[in-house]
Amino acid sequence: MNIENTQSQMRKGILEFCILSIIRRGEAYPSDIVEEMRAANLQILEGTLYPLLTRLKNAEMLTYRWEESNSGPPRKYFSLTEKGDSFYKELQQTWEELSNGVNALTSKKSDEPLSNS
Amino acid sequence: MKKIININLSGRVIPIEDSAYEKLQSYIESLRKYFVNEEGRDEIINDIESRIAELLDEKIRKGASSATEADVEEIINSMGKVEDFEAEEVAEAKDSNQQSGQQSSQQSQNYSYTEKKSKGRLYRDSGDKFIGGVCSGIAAYMNVDPAIVRILFAIITFGGFGLGFLAYIILWIVLPTKDLDGYAGKRLYRNPDDRIIGGVAGGLAAYFDKSARTIRLIFAAPLILSILISVINNLDFSNDLDLALNIGFGSISGTFILIYVVLWMVLPEANTNYEKMEMRGEKVDVNRIRQTVQEGMGNFKEKMKGWGEEVKESAQNFSSKAKEFSGTRGKAFAAEVNETVRSRGRGLGHVIAVLFKVFFLFIAGTIAFALFVGLIAFLFGGIAWSPVNDFFYGRVTGSRYMHGVH
């Protein structure tokens, strides 16, 4: 059992949820997603974001369009599909249940008795 | 003083230092290897490449004259190295591949990526394959250059009546596949920058750090000698000794030509700079290779003996494994094979293409050589038939020679 392993599993579970929620607010360019995640103190490597986006795109959760940029070749801007949107909503529900449950559990004080005893 | 080159990365022209370029190249190569089993690999690599291009372009537009090694380093760090991905994807690896999952959970984080090799187990290498990845897997297992294993297999196939081919098929069926991060050292390639026929001599020259001319001379010498001797022989009919010499050199030249053809077929061409660096072995200590080669020559007999025992041992292991296999793992494996066959329709096409290429090269090589011999025979008139005889004789003894050599 090592701590990095458990931490990375925790983080990995919410990664897709976070990315979808950023894209849901409006079309996003991958490096903007990274910026936003970092600003929220959620570390992600840009190199792991691309495969994740490609996977989500191949699963028809995301779609993208090319946008001409004023310098050089066009950029890929990602947006949510309908399928992605309902996927996101399910994730959101799960997240709320999870975070409420976990918060309720972890915020209990040590002198509180176990509920079943 | 630094050399600056212009590269075109995703449609942008970027001036970059030569050393920075090498670094970038090997980074992208490592990504390519890492994502080898990923469905959208090319798309991912393209996205990452164009993002890197954008970042580098930004640096240039801010006034830098060229992208430096530090710039590339910075970008690689922000994109993440392959070993960082691994740390992030531990959980997934565990789900999809039990073996590698077990491995990574046992490993502490400061293990470097290259040390994560699956030592001690034999796999087929899905990341570096010519046909089915068998040779490359064996090479990774023994930590040698895959080209050497491929050459041995080719020799066993040509000299042993297709025995190598049979062994290959069996291994192909039996071994599970895995993307191995195999041998990282000097590798044998054909050198496209220094070629007369197929670049084989050029590649060997780069590998052994000799001049290509020397290698070519070694290849050509027996042939030239046999022709010379046959000429002399025809001038002086009374000498029987020369005839023996002639046959000797003739068969050697046949062997060398066969070796050349085999190497031509088996060795990949060093096309990218990364491969060229591998070919020249720039990351490896040259002394180590020299030592390995000398050792190999010196203790050859002992090694063969030891190797024989090892083979015997592994054969015994294998038979017990086979029993276990047919008992427990059989069903699971059969399902896997089924799936592989289904999902690898394209792979099968590739195999056929490769086999076709191999046969084509072999036939083309044979025809070319026959024409060459015909030309010689024509040049020296009716009297100089011996090179032709030597050729046929050489082909037969060729295999015997190779058994002697290896």
Side-chain angles (χ1 to χ4, degrees), chain A residues 9 12, chain B residues 89-102 104:
Chain A
Q9 284 190 49
K12 199 180 145 46
Chain B
E89 304 227 337
V90 168
E92 185 167 297
K94 214 172 203 170
D95 294 338
S96 62
N97 190 335
Q98 228 184 348
Q99 280 142 1
S100 79
Q102 276 167 0
S104 29

Side-chain angles (χ1 to χ4, degrees), chain A residues 29 46-47 55 57 75, chain B residues 38 43 47 51 54 79:
Chain A
Y29 184 61
E46 215 171 330
R55 264 175 241 154
K57 189 212 75 188
R75 292 165 145 205
Chain B
E38 188 79 36
E43 193 176 354
D47 287 353
R51 177 64 183 152
E54 197 174 41
M79 296 299 282

Side-chain angles (χ1 to χ4, degrees), chain A residues 4-41:
Chain A
E4 284 92 3
N5 193 356
T6 313
Q7 282 168 338
S8 81
Q9 284 190 49
M10 274 183 163
R11 236 177 268 132
K12 199 180 145 46
I14 56 158
L15 208 53
E16 280 151 329
F17 178 57
C18 293
I19 289 166
L20 288 175
S21 103
I22 293 169
I23 297 172
R24 194 164 175 262
R25 281 190 275 118
E27 281 184 324
Y29 184 61
S31 68
D32 296 337
I33 298 175
V34 174
E35 292 285 302
E36 196 143 349
M37 297 273 287
R38 282 191 184 149
N41 220 358

Side-chain angles (χ1 to χ4, degrees), chain B residues 67-97:
Chain B
T68 63
E69 217 169 317
D71 294 338
V72 170
E73 184 95 30
E74 188 192 321
I75 288 168
I76 289 173
N77 280 336
S78 92
M79 296 299 282
K81 286 187 183 134
V82 172
E83 48 266 44
D84 303 328
F85 297 173
E86 252 188 24
E88 279 203 10
E89 304 227 337
V90 168
E92 185 167 297
K94 214 172 203 170
D95 294 338
S96 62
N97 190 335

Side-chain angles (χ1 to χ4, degrees), chain B residues 36-289:
Chain B
V36 72
N37 287 326
E38 188 79 36
E39 200 185 324
R41 173 174 85 157
D42 293 340
E43 193 176 354
I44 295 167
I45 303 278
N46 279 342
D47 287 353
I48 291 177
E49 270 185 5
S50 61
R51 177 64 183 152
I52 292 173
E54 197 174 41
L55 290 170
L56 288 175
D57 199 46
E58 224 164 81
K59 301 245 180 219
I60 303 296
R61 272 189 291 122
K62 273 183 189 160
S65 62
S66 67
T68 63
E69 217 169 317
D71 294 338
V72 170
E73 184 95 30
E74 188 192 321
I75 288 168
I76 289 173
N77 280 336
S78 92
M79 296 299 282
K81 286 187 183 134
V82 172
E83 48 266 44
D84 303 328
F85 297 173
E86 252 188 24
E88 279 203 10
E89 304 227 337
V90 168
E92 185 167 297
K94 214 172 203 170
D95 294 338
S96 62
N97 190 335
Q98 228 184 348
Q99 280 142 1
S100 79
Q102 276 167 0
Q103 234 177 13
S104 29
S105 66
Q106 281 161 11
Q107 272 157 347
S108 62
Q109 247 222 327
N110 44 16
Y111 264 44
S112 82
Y113 182 60
T114 42
E115 278 170 296
K116 280 189 180 170
K117 264 183 244 170
S118 25
K119 281 232 169 73
R121 290 205 68 161
L122 192 54
Y123 290 101
R124 284 187 293 117
D125 188 353
S126 58
D128 174 17
K129 62 183 182 186
F130 194 69
I131 304 174
V134 171
C135 291
S136 160
I138 293 171
Y141 182 73
M142 302 198 296
N143 200 19
V144 293
D145 183 353
I148 290 168
V149 183
R150 290 194 183 116
I151 292 165
L152 285 177
F153 255 97
I155 288 167
I156 295 167
T157 302
F158 282 112
F161 306 103
L163 211 68
F165 185 67
L166 192 70
Y168 192 96
I169 297 290
I170 291 170
L171 287 171
W172 196 351
I173 294 167
V174 169
L175 294 182
T177 147
K178 192 174 182 212
D179 185 19
L180 299 169
D181 184 39
Y183 174 73
K186 208 173 194 178
R187 295 178 66 156
L188 201 51
Y189 282 103
R190 285 185 291 120
N191 189 353
D193 299 336
D194 185 7
R195 68 195 287 173
I196 287 183
I197 308 174
V200 172
L204 285 171
Y207 189 82
F208 292 111
D209 214 7
K210 296 264 187 292
S211 87
R213 207 181 296 160
T214 316
I215 306 283
R216 291 206 177 97
L217 204 64
I218 292 171
F219 269 106
L223 191 71
I224 295 166
L225 272 176
S226 75
I227 292 165
L228 274 178
I229 288 166
S230 74
V231 171
I232 295 164
N233 200 24
N234 284 315
L235 297 174
D236 181 8
F237 292 97
S238 61
N239 202 335
D240 285 341
L241 194 82
D242 277 351
L243 189 71
L245 263 175
N246 180 17
I247 288 167
F249 278 114
S251 61
I252 291 171
S253 71
T255 309
F256 270 63
I257 285 159
L258 193 65
I259 288 173
Y260 192 94
V261 171
V262 166
L263 289 175
W264 193 355
M265 287 189 317
V266 163
L267 296 182
E269 212 166 49
N271 285 321
T272 68
N273 259 27
Y274 186 77
E275 286 170 346
K276 279 174 193 163
M277 273 170 77
E278 276 189 321
M279 176 176 76
R280 291 194 296 264
E282 279 173 3
K283 289 175 201 151
V284 205
D285 182 9
V286 181
N287 280 330
R288 200 183 66 85
I289 293 159

